[in-house]
Amino acid sequence: MREVFQQELREVQDRLVQIAELVEGAIQGATRAFGTSDVALAEQVIDGADEVDQLASELDELTIDILARQQPVASDLRLMVGALRMSASLERMADLAQHIAQLARYRYPESAIPQGLRKTFVKMGDIDIAMSAKLVELLRAQEPRIIDEIRDLDDALDELHAKVFEKVLSDKISADATGVVDATLASRYHERFGDHAVNITKQMNFFLSGAME
Amino acid sequence: MREVFQQELREVQDRLVQIAELVEGAIQGATRAFGTSDVALAEQVIDGADEVDQLASELDELTIDILARQQPVASDLRLMVGALRMSASLERMADLAQHIAQLARYRYPESAIPQGLRKTFVKMGDIDIAMSAKLVELLRAQEPRIIDEIRDLDDALDELHAKVFEKVLSDKISADATGVVDATLASRYHERFGDHAVNITKQMNFFLSGAME
């Protein structure tokens, strides 16, 4: 029984890695589409979110199925609950990448990025991409040091999020109402993306400290 | 065993109702604080979100404990997973009410609401309050008709959300960058609040259709 459970746990892990890889691709595409007003790429990211939804639902079904058949208790049960929570966060991260791509599409052929904020959004995008790459690594290699790396990236992201508002409100940038709306939403989406990455590290932290006990 | 499970299920339900009532109070307070720049009320809502976090965590612990002890399968198992998801949505709704209250606090003694959008935000707030009141009713009375009522309210909310952007971008309102940022964020928070209410109706829909099978 235990061996079967271990095997099923690996299947859950593999699927989480697979979904995290799609999320990484989505935020890469969304960041590039947003930065370069690439509407074809934006469409691709928007369509891609459905695949993540589908895979996350299937993973949830598998997890509930394992719960029903294996009846895990203690830390194994918490792992399964953690998998449900990680899948929900990954699904939400794909939605947020989709929202960023939608901003690029709405404003096309204009840019969604107000003058003076381009560099800040490039940095935010790069951090989200780095976080999602590290999530893939964390889910695959399960090394605790990656948790700290992701949290450090989230701190840097929160600073940039605050900086966007500071700049928008300081008249240092020339933005009309559309630019301010886009900057506000894009910055919020990037920040939430990071929050969900941190949520996943919390689940993994339990997983890893539980496994080490 | 079945009887004990039914009793524990009622305990989960009671706690969901209790948390939903706090969420209703939070969005009521946040809406009033936002509309009237009542900073004392805003502080109260901001502090109150911690209580919801605490109760939601305790409910999650109870749910995981029931899963471990009762080992439910089939629809009972799905109910427990649904309870975890509902608790996550309620927690998030309290966070969103907190964010709305924070906007009121940041701008105090100014108003966070740009001229020309006051009525729209009063309507959005009223709809969120109505949705949360109906959630309490749904969780308590478990009547399927309430699900449709909540979804209709969400449609109305989405229309108002679109209207906020339309107004902000149309130069029909006089708003500086601060006003545009606040309107964008507040509208987004209200809309997400509604989305989470709808998420809960999805879980309850399963619960009710499962119970009727």
Side-chain angles (χ1 to χ4, degrees):
Chain A
M1 191 65 147
R2 181 74 202 167
E3 200 176 313
V4 177
F5 181 71
Q6 287 300 336
Q7 202 175 320
E8 298 202 293
L9 209 58
R10 270 194 300 278
E11 170 70 20
V12 168
Q13 184 193 356
D14 288 347
R15 294 213 199 175
L16 283 169
V17 169
Q18 182 196 8
I19 298 172
E21 282 171 343
L22 288 174
V23 168
E24 185 189 355
I27 192 68
Q28 269 175 345
T31 297
R32 206 164 77 224
F34 185 79
T36 62
S37 306
D38 183 336
V39 76
L41 184 58
E43 297 282 358
Q44 215 175 299
V45 173
I46 293 164
D47 294 343
D50 287 348
E51 193 187 348
V52 171
D53 284 354
Q54 181 61 33
L55 289 171
S57 276
E58 285 169 18
L59 174 55
D60 290 352
E61 284 308 308
L62 173 67
T63 308
I64 292 170
D65 187 49
I66 296 171
L67 279 169
R69 282 185 294 100
Q70 303 282 354
Q71 305 280 345
V73 293
S75 69
D76 290 344
L77 171 58
R78 280 166 193 276
L79 281 180
M80 291 290 102
V81 171
L84 289 171
R85 288 178 174 152
M86 288 192 269
S87 129
S89 279
L90 287 170
E91 192 177 339
R92 195 69 207 129
M93 289 168 89
D95 286 345
L96 290 162
Q98 185 186 43
H99 291 343
I100 293 168
Q102 276 164 340
L103 284 178
R105 188 179 62 175
Y106 289 150
R107 300 307 169 214
Y108 180 81
E110 308 274 309
S111 169
I113 310 179
Q115 287 294 324
L117 280 172
R118 183 163 294 272
K119 277 189 193 163
T120 309
F121 277 110
V122 168
K123 279 188 207 160
M124 288 189 105
D126 284 348
I127 291 178
D128 275 350
I129 294 167
M131 286 177 104
S132 59
K134 285 195 181 295
L135 266 190
V136 171
E137 206 187 328
L138 174 64
L139 290 165
R140 188 181 281 137
Q142 309 190 346
E143 284 177 26
R145 66 160 175 84
I146 308 171
I147 291 176
D148 295 330
E149 291 171 9
I150 291 172
R151 292 183 187 180
D152 289 346
L153 285 169
D154 191 54
D155 291 341
L157 193 60
D158 288 345
E159 273 174 39
L160 288 170
H161 183 52
K163 203 168 152 188
V164 168
F165 291 119
E166 208 179 282
K167 279 206 178 185
V168 164
L169 304 182
S170 71
D171 301 322
K172 270 187 213 149
I173 60 154
S174 58
D176 55 7
T178 311
V180 175
V181 167
D182 287 352
T184 303
L185 288 175
S187 186
R188 173 82 185 153
Y189 298 149
H190 281 294
E191 186 229 0
R192 289 294 301 153
F193 188 95
D195 287 346
H196 282 287
V198 170
N199 287 346
I200 293 173
T201 67
K202 287 180 190 163
Q203 299 303 322
M204 284 303 287
N205 193 39
F206 168 78
F207 180 100
L208 295 173
S209 56
M212 284 186 291
E213 270 168 18
Chain B
M1 191 68 148
R2 182 73 202 166
E3 199 176 314
V4 176
F5 181 71
Q6 287 300 336
Q7 200 176 320
E8 298 203 290
L9 210 57
R10 269 193 300 277
E11 171 71 20
V12 169
Q13 184 193 356
D14 288 347
R15 294 214 199 174
L16 284 169
V17 169
Q18 182 196 8
I19 298 172
E21 282 171 343
L22 288 174
V23 168
E24 184 189 354
I27 191 70
Q28 270 174 346
T31 296
R32 206 163 76 222
F34 185 78
T36 62
S37 306
D38 183 336
V39 76
L41 185 57
E43 297 281 359
Q44 213 175 302
V45 172
I46 292 163
D47 295 342
D50 287 348
E51 192 187 348
V52 171
D53 284 355
Q54 181 61 33
L55 290 172
S57 278
E58 285 169 17
L59 174 54
D60 290 352
E61 285 308 308
L62 173 67
T63 308
I64 292 171
D65 187 50
I66 296 172
L67 279 169
R69 282 184 294 99
Q70 303 282 354
Q71 305 279 344
V73 293
S75 68
D76 290 344
L77 170 58
R78 279 167 194 275
L79 281 180
M80 291 291 103
V81 171
L84 289 171
R85 288 177 174 153
M86 287 192 272
S87 129
S89 278
L90 287 170
E91 192 178 340
R92 196 69 206 128
M93 288 167 88
D95 286 344
L96 291 162
Q98 186 187 41
H99 290 343
I100 292 169
Q102 276 165 340
L103 285 178
R105 188 179 61 175
Y106 290 148
R107 300 307 169 213
Y108 180 82
E110 308 274 310
S111 168
I113 309 178
Q115 287 295 322
L117 279 172
R118 183 162 292 274
K119 276 188 194 164
T120 309
F121 277 111
V122 168
K123 278 189 207 161
M124 288 188 105
D126 284 347
I127 291 178
D128 275 350
I129 293 166
M131 286 177 104
S132 59
K134 284 194 183 295
L135 266 190
V136 172
E137 206 188 328
L138 175 64
L139 289 165
R140 186 181 282 138
Q142 308 191 345
E143 282 177 27
R145 66 162 174 85
I146 308 171
I147 292 177
D148 294 331
E149 291 170 9
I150 291 172
R151 291 183 187 180
D152 289 346
L153 285 169
D154 191 54
D155 290 342
L157 193 60
D158 287 346
E159 272 174 40
L160 288 170
H161 182 52
K163 204 169 153 186
V164 168
F165 291 119
E166 208 179 281
K167 280 206 179 185
V168 165
L169 304 182
S170 71
D171 301 322
K172 269 187 213 149
I173 60 154
S174 58
D176 55 6
T178 311
V180 175
V181 167
D182 288 351
T184 303
L185 289 176
S187 186
R188 173 83 185 151
Y189 298 150
H190 280 294
E191 187 229 0
R192 289 295 301 153
F193 188 94
D195 287 347
H196 282 288
V198 170
N199 287 347
I200 293 172
T201 67
K202 286 179 190 165
Q203 299 302 323
M204 284 303 287
N205 192 40
F206 168 78
F207 180 100
L208 296 173
S209 55
M212 285 186 290
E213 270 168 17

